[in-house]
Amino acid sequence: MRRNPKLQQQFLAATFTPFRFNAIVCQEFILLLVILGLSIYFESFDFYITIIIAYVYHVIGHIFQSIFLRQYIPGVLDYFR
């Protein structure tokens, strides 16, 4: 897609609308809350801690992705606010 930036812009604009991005973030948040609730209920936080560590790696991956691509990646600036 590097050879056709207009096509790339059309593809990304159609795929990641603000509503879809917010729906994905909301879904991740709800799953995290369910896992936290189950961890509290069963009094075992091992799985919850594993999920949090994976989420931190995910965020770090987005930071490196924005550096590598030299453009804004959704969520990177929001994380630091």
Side-chain angles (χ1 to χ4, degrees):
M1 284 197 190
R2 285 186 173 175
R3 296 180 185 191
N4 193 342
K6 188 174 182 179
L7 178 64
Q8 181 181 11
Q9 187 67 18
Q10 282 180 325
F11 174 74
L12 291 176
T15 304
F16 294 109
T17 63
F19 177 78
R20 285 186 183 178
F21 179 76
N22 290 336
I24 292 168
V25 170
C26 183
Q27 176 190 10
E28 289 180 2
F29 181 69
I30 290 171
L31 286 173
L32 187 62
L33 284 179
V34 168
I35 292 169
L36 176 61
L38 290 172
S39 296
I40 291 171
Y41 180 76
F42 291 111
E43 297 178 357
S44 174
F45 291 93
D46 294 339
F47 188 64
Y48 180 72
I49 292 171
T50 304
I51 296 296
I52 293 298
I53 290 170
Y55 181 72
V56 169
Y57 283 136
H58 178 85
V59 170
I60 291 171
H62 277 292
I63 293 170
F64 282 122
Q65 184 181 19
S66 67
I67 292 169
F68 178 72
L69 295 176
R70 295 184 181 142
Q71 65 184 23
Y72 172 72
I73 303 298
V76 173
L77 293 179
D78 298 333
Y79 178 74
F80 292 109
R81 285 186 184 174

Coordinates of all heavy atoms in Angstrom, one line a residue:
M1 N 0.8 -1.2 0.0 CA 0.0 0.0 0.0 C 0.8 1.3 0.0 O 0.3 2.3 -0.1 CB -0.9 0.0 1.2 CG -2.1 -0.9 1.1 SD -3.3 -0.4 2.3 CE -4.4 -1.8 2.2
R2 N 2.1 1.1 0.2 CA 3.0 2.3 0.2 C 3.0 3.0 -1.2 O 3.2 4.2 -1.3 CB 4.4 1.9 0.5 CG 4.6 1.7 2.0 CD 6.1 1.5 2.3 NE 6.2 1.4 3.7 CZ 7.3 1.1 4.3 NH1 8.4 0.9 3.6 NH2 7.4 1.1 5.6
R3 N 2.7 2.2 -2.2 CA 2.8 2.8 -3.6 C 1.5 3.6 -3.9 O 1.5 4.3 -4.8 CB 2.9 1.7 -4.6 CG 4.3 1.0 -4.4 CD 4.4 -0.1 -5.4 NE 5.7 -0.8 -5.2 CZ 6.2 -1.7 -6.0 NH1 5.6 -2.0 -7.1 NH2 7.3 -2.3 -5.7
N4 N 0.5 3.4 -3.1 CA -0.8 4.1 -3.4 C -1.3 4.6 -2.1 O -2.2 4.0 -1.4 CB -1.8 3.1 -4.0 CG -3.0 3.9 -4.6 OD1 -3.2 5.0 -4.2 ND2 -3.7 3.2 -5.5
P5 N -0.8 5.8 -1.6 CA -1.3 6.3 -0.3 C -2.7 6.7 -0.3 O -3.4 6.7 0.7 CB -0.4 7.6 -0.1 CG 0.3 7.9 -1.4 CD 0.2 6.6 -2.3
K6 N -3.3 7.1 -1.5 CA -4.7 7.4 -1.5 C -5.6 6.2 -1.2 O -6.6 6.2 -0.5 CB -5.1 7.9 -2.9 CG -6.5 8.5 -3.0 CD -6.7 9.1 -4.3 CE -8.1 9.7 -4.4 NZ -8.4 10.4 -5.6
L7 N -5.2 5.0 -1.8 CA -5.9 3.8 -1.5 C -5.8 3.4 0.0 O -6.7 3.0 0.6 CB -5.4 2.6 -2.3 CG -6.0 1.2 -2.1 CD1 -7.5 1.3 -2.5 CD2 -5.2 0.2 -2.9
Q8 N -4.6 3.6 0.6 CA -4.3 3.3 2.0 C -5.2 4.2 2.8 O -5.8 3.7 3.8 CB -2.9 3.6 2.3 CG -2.5 3.3 3.7 CD -1.1 3.5 4.1 OE1 -0.4 4.1 3.3 NE2 -0.6 3.1 5.2
Q9 N -5.3 5.5 2.5 CA -6.2 6.4 3.3 C -7.6 6.0 3.2 O -8.3 6.0 4.2 CB -6.0 7.8 2.8 CG -6.7 8.8 3.7 CD -6.1 8.9 5.0 OE1 -4.9 8.5 5.3 NE2 -6.8 9.5 6.0
Q10 N -8.1 5.6 2.0 CA -9.5 5.1 1.9 C -9.7 3.9 2.7 O -10.8 3.7 3.3 CB -9.8 4.9 0.4 CG -10.0 6.1 -0.4 CD -10.3 5.7 -1.9 OE1 -9.8 4.8 -2.4 NE2 -11.2 6.5 -2.5
F11 N -8.8 2.9 2.7 CA -9.0 1.7 3.4 C -9.0 1.9 4.9 O -9.9 1.4 5.6 CB -7.8 0.7 3.0 CG -7.8 -0.5 3.8 CD1 -8.8 -1.5 3.6 CD2 -6.9 -0.7 4.9 CE1 -8.8 -2.7 4.3 CE2 -6.9 -1.9 5.6 CZ -7.9 -2.9 5.3
L12 N -8.1 2.7 5.4 CA -8.1 3.0 6.8 C -9.3 3.8 7.3 O -9.8 3.6 8.4 CB -6.8 3.7 7.2 CG -5.5 2.8 7.1 CD1 -4.3 3.6 7.4 CD2 -5.6 1.6 8.0
A13 N -9.7 4.8 6.5 CA -10.8 5.6 6.8 C -12.1 4.8 6.9 O -13.0 5.0 7.7 CB -11.0 6.7 5.8
A14 N -12.3 3.8 6.0 CA -13.5 3.0 6.0 C -13.4 1.9 7.1 O -14.5 1.5 7.6 CB -13.6 2.3 4.6
T15 N -12.3 1.5 7.5 CA -12.2 0.4 8.4 C -12.3 0.9 9.9 O -13.0 0.3 10.7 CB -10.8 -0.3 8.3 OG1 -10.7 -0.8 6.9 CG2 -10.7 -1.5 9.2
F16 N -11.6 1.9 10.2 CA -11.6 2.4 11.6 C -12.3 3.7 11.7 O -11.8 4.8 11.7 CB -10.1 2.6 12.0 CG -9.4 1.3 12.1 CD1 -8.4 1.0 11.2 CD2 -9.7 0.4 13.1 CE1 -7.7 -0.2 11.3 CE2 -9.0 -0.8 13.2 CZ -8.0 -1.1 12.3
T17 N -13.6 3.6 11.9 CA -14.4 4.8 12.2 C -14.4 5.0 13.7 O -14.0 4.1 14.4 CB -15.9 4.5 11.7 OG1 -16.4 3.4 12.5 CG2 -16.0 4.2 10.3
P18 N -14.6 6.2 14.1 CA -14.6 6.4 15.6 C -15.6 5.5 16.3 O -15.2 5.1 17.4 CB -15.1 7.9 15.7 CG -14.7 8.5 14.4 CD -14.8 7.4 13.4
F19 N -16.7 5.2 15.8 CA -17.7 4.3 16.5 C -17.1 2.9 16.6 O -17.2 2.3 17.7 CB -19.0 4.2 15.7 CG -19.9 3.3 16.3 CD1 -20.7 3.6 17.4 CD2 -20.1 2.0 15.8 CE1 -21.5 2.7 18.0 CE2 -21.0 1.1 16.4 CZ -21.7 1.5 17.5
R20 N -16.4 2.4 15.6 CA -15.8 1.1 15.7 C -14.7 1.0 16.6 O -14.5 0.1 17.4 CB -15.3 0.6 14.3 CG -16.4 0.2 13.4 CD -15.9 -0.4 12.1 NE -17.0 -0.7 11.2 CZ -16.8 -1.2 10.0 NH1 -15.6 -1.4 9.5 NH2 -17.9 -1.4 9.2
F21 N -13.9 2.1 16.6 CA -12.8 2.1 17.6 C -13.3 2.2 19.0 O -12.8 1.4 19.9 CB -11.9 3.4 17.3 CG -10.7 3.5 18.2 CD1 -9.6 2.7 18.1 CD2 -10.8 4.4 19.3 CE1 -8.5 2.8 19.0 CE2 -9.7 4.5 20.1 CZ -8.6 3.7 20.0
N22 N -14.3 3.0 19.3 CA -14.8 3.0 20.6 C -15.5 1.7 21.0 O -15.5 1.3 22.2 CB -15.9 4.2 20.7 CG -15.2 5.5 20.6 OD1 -14.0 5.7 21.0 ND2 -15.9 6.5 20.2
A23 N -16.1 1.1 20.1 CA -16.8 -0.2 20.4 C -15.7 -1.3 20.8 O -15.9 -2.1 21.7 CB -17.6 -0.7 19.2
I24 N -14.6 -1.3 20.1 CA -13.5 -2.2 20.4 C -12.9 -1.9 21.8 O -12.7 -2.8 22.6 CB -12.4 -2.1 19.3 CG1 -12.9 -2.7 18.0 CG2 -11.2 -2.9 19.8 CD1 -12.0 -2.4 16.8
V25 N -12.7 -0.6 22.1 CA -12.2 -0.3 23.4 C -13.2 -0.7 24.5 O -12.8 -1.2 25.5 CB -11.8 1.2 23.4 CG1 -11.5 1.7 24.8 CG2 -10.7 1.5 22.5
C26 N -14.5 -0.4 24.3 CA -15.5 -0.8 25.2 C -15.5 -2.3 25.4 O -15.7 -2.7 26.6 CB -16.9 -0.2 24.7 SG -18.2 -0.5 25.9
Q27 N -15.4 -3.0 24.4 CA -15.4 -4.5 24.5 C -14.2 -5.0 25.4 O -14.4 -5.8 26.2 CB -15.3 -5.1 23.1 CG -15.2 -6.6 23.2 CD -14.9 -7.2 21.8 OE1 -14.6 -6.5 20.9 NE2 -15.0 -8.5 21.7
E28 N -13.1 -4.4 25.1 CA -11.9 -4.8 25.9 C -12.1 -4.4 27.4 O -11.7 -5.2 28.3 CB -10.6 -4.1 25.4 CG -10.2 -4.7 24.1 CD -8.9 -4.0 23.6 OE1 -8.4 -3.1 24.3 OE2 -8.5 -4.3 22.5
F29 N -12.7 -3.3 27.6 CA -12.9 -2.8 29.0 C -13.9 -3.8 29.7 O -13.7 -4.2 30.9 CB -13.5 -1.4 29.0 CG -13.7 -0.9 30.4 CD1 -12.7 -0.6 31.3 CD2 -15.0 -0.6 30.8 CE1 -12.9 -0.1 32.5 CE2 -15.3 -0.1 32.0 CZ -14.2 0.2 32.9
I30 N -15.0 -4.2 29.0 CA -16.0 -5.1 29.6 C -15.4 -6.4 29.9 O -15.6 -7.0 31.0 CB -17.2 -5.2 28.7 CG1 -18.0 -3.8 28.7 CG2 -18.1 -6.3 29.1 CD1 -19.1 -3.7 27.7
L31 N -14.6 -6.9 29.0 CA -13.9 -8.2 29.2 C -13.0 -8.1 30.4 O -12.9 -9.0 31.2 CB -13.1 -8.7 28.0 CG -14.0 -9.2 26.8 CD1 -13.1 -9.4 25.6 CD2 -14.7 -10.5 27.2
L32 N -12.3 -7.0 30.5 CA -11.4 -6.8 31.7 C -12.1 -6.8 33.0 O -11.7 -7.4 34.0 CB -10.5 -5.6 31.5 CG -9.4 -5.3 32.5 CD1 -8.4 -6.4 32.5 CD2 -8.8 -4.0 32.3
L33 N -13.3 -6.1 33.0 CA -14.1 -6.1 34.2 C -14.7 -7.4 34.6 O -14.7 -7.8 35.8 CB -15.3 -5.1 34.0 CG -14.9 -3.6 34.1 CD1 -16.2 -2.8 33.8 CD2 -14.3 -3.3 35.4
V34 N -15.1 -8.2 33.6 CA -15.6 -9.6 33.8 C -14.5 -10.4 34.4 O -14.7 -11.2 35.4 CB -16.1 -10.2 32.5 CG1 -16.4 -11.7 32.7 CG2 -17.4 -9.5 32.1
I35 N -13.3 -10.3 33.9 CA -12.1 -11.1 34.4 C -11.8 -10.7 35.8 O -11.5 -11.5 36.7 CB -10.9 -11.0 33.5 CG1 -11.2 -11.7 32.2 CG2 -9.7 -11.6 34.1 CD1 -10.2 -11.5 31.1
L36 N -11.8 -9.4 36.1 CA -11.6 -8.9 37.4 C -12.7 -9.4 38.4 O -12.4 -9.8 39.5 CB -11.6 -7.3 37.5 CG -11.4 -6.7 38.8 CD1 -10.1 -7.1 39.5 CD2 -11.6 -5.2 38.7
G37 N -13.9 -9.3 38.0 CA -15.0 -9.9 38.8 C -14.8 -11.3 39.1 O -15.0 -11.8 40.3
L38 N -14.5 -12.1 38.1 CA -14.2 -13.6 38.4 C -13.0 -13.8 39.3 O -13.0 -14.7 40.1 CB -14.0 -14.3 37.1 CG -15.3 -14.4 36.2 CD1 -14.9 -15.0 34.8 CD2 -16.3 -15.3 36.9
S39 N -12.0 -12.9 39.1 CA -10.8 -13.0 40.0 C -11.2 -12.7 41.5 O -10.7 -13.4 42.4 CB -9.7 -12.1 39.5 OG -9.3 -12.5 38.3
I40 N -12.0 -11.7 41.7 CA -12.5 -11.4 43.0 C -13.3 -12.5 43.6 O -13.2 -12.9 44.7 CB -13.2 -10.1 43.0 CG1 -12.2 -8.9 42.7 CG2 -13.9 -9.8 44.4 CD1 -12.9 -7.6 42.5
Y41 N -14.2 -13.1 42.8 CA -15.1 -14.1 43.2 C -14.4 -15.4 43.6 O -14.6 -16.0 44.6 CB -16.1 -14.4 42.1 CG -17.1 -15.5 42.5 CD1 -18.2 -15.2 43.4 CD2 -17.0 -16.8 42.0 CE1 -19.1 -16.2 43.7 CE2 -17.9 -17.8 42.3 CZ -18.9 -17.5 43.2 OH -19.8 -18.5 43.5
F42 N -13.4 -15.8 42.8 CA -12.6 -17.0 43.1 C -11.4 -16.7 43.9 O -10.6 -17.7 44.2 CB -12.2 -17.7 41.8 CG -13.4 -18.3 41.1 CD1 -13.8 -17.8 39.9 CD2 -14.1 -19.4 41.6 CE1 -14.9 -18.3 39.2 CE2 -15.1 -19.9 40.9 CZ -15.6 -19.4 39.7
E43 N -11.1 -15.5 44.3 CA -10.0 -15.1 45.1 C -8.7 -15.6 44.6 O -7.8 -16.0 45.3 CB -10.2 -15.6 46.6 CG -11.4 -14.9 47.2 CD -11.6 -15.5 48.6 OE1 -10.9 -16.4 49.1 OE2 -12.5 -15.0 49.3
S44 N -8.5 -15.4 43.3 CA -7.3 -15.8 42.6 C -7.0 -14.8 41.5 O -7.8 -14.7 40.5 CB -7.4 -17.2 41.9 OG -6.3 -17.5 41.2
F45 N -6.0 -14.0 41.7 CA -5.7 -12.9 40.8 C -4.6 -13.3 39.7 O -4.1 -12.4 39.0 CB -5.3 -11.7 41.6 CG -6.4 -11.1 42.3 CD1 -6.7 -11.5 43.6 CD2 -7.3 -10.2 41.7 CE1 -7.8 -11.0 44.3 CE2 -8.4 -9.7 42.4 CZ -8.6 -10.1 43.7
D46 N -4.2 -14.5 39.7 CA -3.1 -14.9 38.7 C -3.5 -14.6 37.3 O -2.7 -14.0 36.5 CB -2.8 -16.4 38.9 CG -2.1 -16.7 40.2 OD1 -1.6 -15.8 40.9 OD2 -2.2 -17.9 40.6
F47 N -4.7 -15.0 36.9 CA -5.1 -14.8 35.5 C -5.3 -13.3 35.2 O -5.0 -12.8 34.2 CB -6.5 -15.6 35.3 CG -6.9 -15.5 33.8 CD1 -6.1 -16.2 32.9 CD2 -8.0 -14.9 33.5 CE1 -6.5 -16.1 31.5 CE2 -8.4 -14.9 32.1 CZ -7.7 -15.5 31.2
Y48 N -5.8 -12.6 36.2 CA -6.0 -11.1 36.0 C -4.7 -10.4 35.8 O -4.6 -9.6 35.0 CB -6.8 -10.5 37.2 CG -7.0 -9.1 37.1 CD1 -7.9 -8.5 36.2 CD2 -6.3 -8.2 37.9 CE1 -8.2 -7.2 36.1 CE2 -6.5 -6.8 37.8 CZ -7.4 -6.3 36.9 OH -7.6 -5.0 36.8
I49 N -3.7 -10.8 36.6 CA -2.4 -10.2 36.5 C -1.8 -10.5 35.1 O -1.1 -9.7 34.5 CB -1.5 -10.6 37.7 CG1 -2.0 -10.0 39.0 CG2 0.0 -10.3 37.4 CD1 -1.3 -10.6 40.2
T50 N -2.0 -11.7 34.7 CA -1.5 -12.1 33.4 C -2.1 -11.3 32.3 O -1.4 -10.8 31.3 CB -1.8 -13.6 33.1 OG1 -1.2 -14.4 34.1 CG2 -1.3 -14.1 31.8
I51 N -3.4 -11.0 32.4 CA -4.1 -10.2 31.4 C -3.6 -8.7 31.4 O -3.4 -8.1 30.4 CB -5.6 -10.2 31.6 CG1 -6.2 -11.6 31.4 CG2 -6.4 -9.2 30.7 CD1 -6.1 -12.1 30.0
I52 N -3.3 -8.2 32.6 CA -2.8 -6.9 32.7 C -1.4 -6.8 32.1 O -1.1 -5.8 31.4 CB -2.8 -6.4 34.2 CG1 -4.2 -6.3 34.7 CG2 -2.0 -5.1 34.4 CD1 -5.0 -5.2 34.0
I53 N -0.6 -7.8 32.4 CA 0.8 -7.8 31.8 C 0.7 -7.8 30.3 O 1.4 -7.1 29.6 CB 1.6 -8.9 32.3 CG1 1.9 -8.7 33.8 CG2 2.9 -9.1 31.5 CD1 2.5 -9.9 34.5
A54 N -0.2 -8.6 29.7 CA -0.4 -8.7 28.3 C -0.9 -7.4 27.7 O -0.5 -6.9 26.7 CB -1.4 -9.8 27.9
Y55 N -1.8 -6.7 28.5 CA -2.3 -5.4 28.0 C -1.2 -4.4 28.0 O -1.1 -3.6 27.1 CB -3.4 -4.9 28.9 CG -4.0 -3.6 28.5 CD1 -4.8 -3.5 27.4 CD2 -3.7 -2.5 29.3 CE1 -5.3 -2.3 27.0 CE2 -4.3 -1.2 28.9 CZ -5.1 -1.2 27.8 OH -5.6 0.0 27.4
V56 N -0.3 -4.4 29.0 CA 0.9 -3.5 29.0 C 1.8 -3.7 27.8 O 2.2 -2.8 27.1 CB 1.6 -3.6 30.3 CG1 3.0 -2.8 30.2 CG2 0.8 -3.0 31.5
Y57 N 2.0 -5.0 27.5 CA 2.8 -5.3 26.3 C 2.1 -4.8 25.0 O 2.7 -4.4 24.1 CB 3.0 -6.8 26.1 CG 4.1 -7.4 27.1 CD1 3.9 -8.5 27.8 CD2 5.3 -6.7 27.2 CE1 4.9 -9.0 28.6 CE2 6.3 -7.2 28.1 CZ 6.1 -8.3 28.8 OH 7.1 -8.8 29.6
H58 N 0.8 -4.9 25.0 CA 0.0 -4.4 23.8 C 0.2 -2.9 23.7 O 0.4 -2.4 22.5 CB -1.5 -4.8 24.1 CG -2.4 -4.3 23.0 ND1 -2.6 -5.0 21.9 CD2 -3.1 -3.2 22.9 CE1 -3.5 -4.4 21.1 NE2 -3.8 -3.2 21.7
V59 N 0.1 -2.2 24.8 CA 0.3 -0.7 24.7 C 1.7 -0.4 24.3 O 1.9 0.5 23.4 CB 0.0 -0.1 26.1 CG1 0.4 1.4 26.1 CG2 -1.5 -0.2 26.4
I60 N 2.7 -1.1 24.8 CA 4.1 -0.8 24.4 C 4.3 -1.1 22.9 O 5.0 -0.4 22.2 CB 5.1 -1.7 25.2 CG1 5.1 -1.1 26.7 CG2 6.5 -1.7 24.6 CD1 5.8 -2.0 27.6
G61 N 3.6 -2.2 22.4 CA 3.6 -2.5 21.0 C 3.0 -1.3 20.1 O 3.6 -1.0 19.1
H62 N 2.0 -0.7 20.6 CA 1.4 0.5 19.9 C 2.4 1.6 19.9 O 2.5 2.4 18.9 CB 0.1 0.9 20.5 CG -1.1 0.1 20.0 ND1 -1.5 0.2 18.7 CD2 -1.9 -0.8 20.7 CE1 -2.6 -0.6 18.6 NE2 -2.8 -1.2 19.8
I63 N 3.1 1.8 20.9 CA 4.1 2.9 21.0 C 5.2 2.6 20.0 O 5.6 3.5 19.2 CB 4.7 3.1 22.4 CG1 3.6 3.6 23.3 CG2 5.9 4.0 22.4 CD1 3.9 3.5 24.8
F64 N 5.8 1.4 19.9 CA 6.8 1.1 19.0 C 6.2 1.2 17.5 O 6.9 1.6 16.6 CB 7.4 -0.3 19.2 CG 8.4 -0.3 20.3 CD1 8.2 -1.1 21.4 CD2 9.5 0.5 20.3 CE1 9.1 -1.1 22.5 CE2 10.4 0.5 21.3 CZ 10.2 -0.3 22.4
Q65 N 5.0 0.8 17.4 CA 4.3 0.9 16.1 C 4.3 2.3 15.6 O 4.5 2.6 14.4 CB 2.9 0.3 16.1 CG 2.2 0.2 14.8 CD 0.8 -0.4 15.0 OE1 0.3 -0.4 16.1 NE2 0.2 -0.9 14.0
S66 N 3.9 3.2 16.5 CA 3.9 4.6 16.0 C 5.2 5.2 15.7 O 5.4 6.0 14.8 CB 3.2 5.5 17.1 OG 4.0 5.5 18.3
I67 N 6.2 4.7 16.4 CA 7.6 5.2 16.2 C 8.1 4.6 14.8 O 8.6 5.3 14.0 CB 8.6 4.8 17.3 CG1 8.2 5.5 18.6 CG2 10.0 5.0 16.9 CD1 8.9 5.0 19.8
F68 N 7.8 3.3 14.6 CA 8.2 2.7 13.4 C 7.5 3.3 12.1 O 8.1 3.5 11.1 CB 8.0 1.2 13.5 CG 8.4 0.4 12.2 CD1 9.7 0.2 11.9 CD2 7.4 -0.1 11.4 CE1 10.1 -0.5 10.8 CE2 7.8 -0.8 10.3 CZ 9.1 -1.0 9.9
L69 N 6.2 3.4 12.2 CA 5.5 4.0 11.1 C 5.5 5.5 10.9 O 5.1 6.0 9.9 CB 4.0 3.5 11.2 CG 3.7 2.0 11.1 CD1 2.3 1.8 11.4 CD2 4.2 1.5 9.8
R70 N 6.0 6.1 12.0 CA 6.1 7.6 12.0 C 4.8 8.3 11.8 O 4.7 9.2 11.0 CB 7.2 8.1 11.0 CG 8.5 7.6 11.4 CD 9.5 8.2 10.4 NE 10.9 7.7 10.8 CZ 11.8 7.4 9.9 NH1 11.5 7.5 8.6 NH2 12.9 7.0 10.3
Q71 N 3.7 7.8 12.4 CA 2.4 8.4 12.3 C 1.6 8.0 13.5 O 2.0 7.2 14.3 CB 1.7 7.9 11.0 CG 1.3 6.4 11.0 CD 0.7 6.0 9.7 OE1 0.9 6.7 8.7 NE2 -0.1 4.9 9.7
Y72 N 0.5 8.7 13.7 CA -0.3 8.5 14.8 C -1.0 7.2 14.8 O -1.6 6.8 13.8 CB -1.4 9.6 14.9 CG -2.4 9.4 15.9 CD1 -2.1 9.6 17.3 CD2 -3.7 9.1 15.6 CE1 -3.0 9.3 18.3 CE2 -4.6 8.9 16.6 CZ -4.3 9.0 17.9 OH -5.2 8.8 18.9
I73 N -1.0 6.5 15.9 CA -1.7 5.2 16.0 C -2.7 5.4 17.1 O -2.4 5.9 18.2 CB -0.7 4.1 16.5 CG1 0.5 3.9 15.5 CG2 -1.5 2.8 16.7 CD1 0.1 3.5 14.1
P74 N -4.0 5.1 16.8 CA -5.0 5.4 17.8 C -4.7 4.7 19.1 O -4.3 3.6 19.2 CB -6.3 4.7 17.2 CG -6.0 4.7 15.7 CD -4.5 4.5 15.6
G75 N -4.9 5.5 20.2 CA -4.6 5.0 21.5 C -3.3 5.4 22.1 O -3.1 5.4 23.3
V76 N -2.3 5.8 21.3 CA -1.0 6.1 21.8 C -1.0 7.4 22.6 O -0.6 7.4 23.8 CB 0.1 6.1 20.7 CG1 1.4 6.6 21.2 CG2 0.2 4.7 20.1
L77 N -1.5 8.4 22.0 CA -1.6 9.7 22.7 C -2.6 9.7 23.8 O -2.5 10.4 24.8 CB -1.9 10.9 21.7 CG -0.8 11.1 20.7 CD1 -1.2 12.3 19.8 CD2 0.5 11.5 21.4
D78 N -3.7 8.9 23.6 CA -4.7 8.8 24.7 C -4.2 8.2 25.9 O -4.6 8.5 27.0 CB -5.9 8.0 24.1 CG -6.6 8.7 23.0 OD1 -6.4 10.0 22.9 OD2 -7.2 8.0 22.1
Y79 N -3.2 7.3 25.7 CA -2.6 6.6 26.9 C -1.9 7.5 27.8 O -1.9 7.4 29.0 CB -1.7 5.5 26.4 CG -1.0 4.7 27.5 CD1 -1.7 3.8 28.3 CD2 0.3 4.9 27.8 CE1 -1.1 3.1 29.3 CE2 1.0 4.2 28.8 CZ 0.2 3.3 29.5 OH 0.9 2.6 30.5
F80 N -1.3 8.5 27.2 CA -0.4 9.5 28.0 C -1.1 10.7 28.5 O -0.6 11.6 29.1 CB 0.8 9.9 27.1 CG 1.8 8.8 26.8 CD1 1.9 8.3 25.6 CD2 2.5 8.3 27.9 CE1 2.8 7.3 25.3 CE2 3.4 7.2 27.6 CZ 3.5 6.7 26.3
R81 N -2.4 10.8 28.2 CA -3.2 11.9 28.7 C -3.6 11.8 30.1 O -3.8 10.8 30.7 CB -4.4 12.2 27.8 CG -4.0 12.8 26.5 CD -5.2 13.2 25.7 NE -4.8 13.6 24.5 CZ -5.6 13.9 23.5 NH1 -6.9 13.8 23.6 NH2 -5.1 14.4 22.4

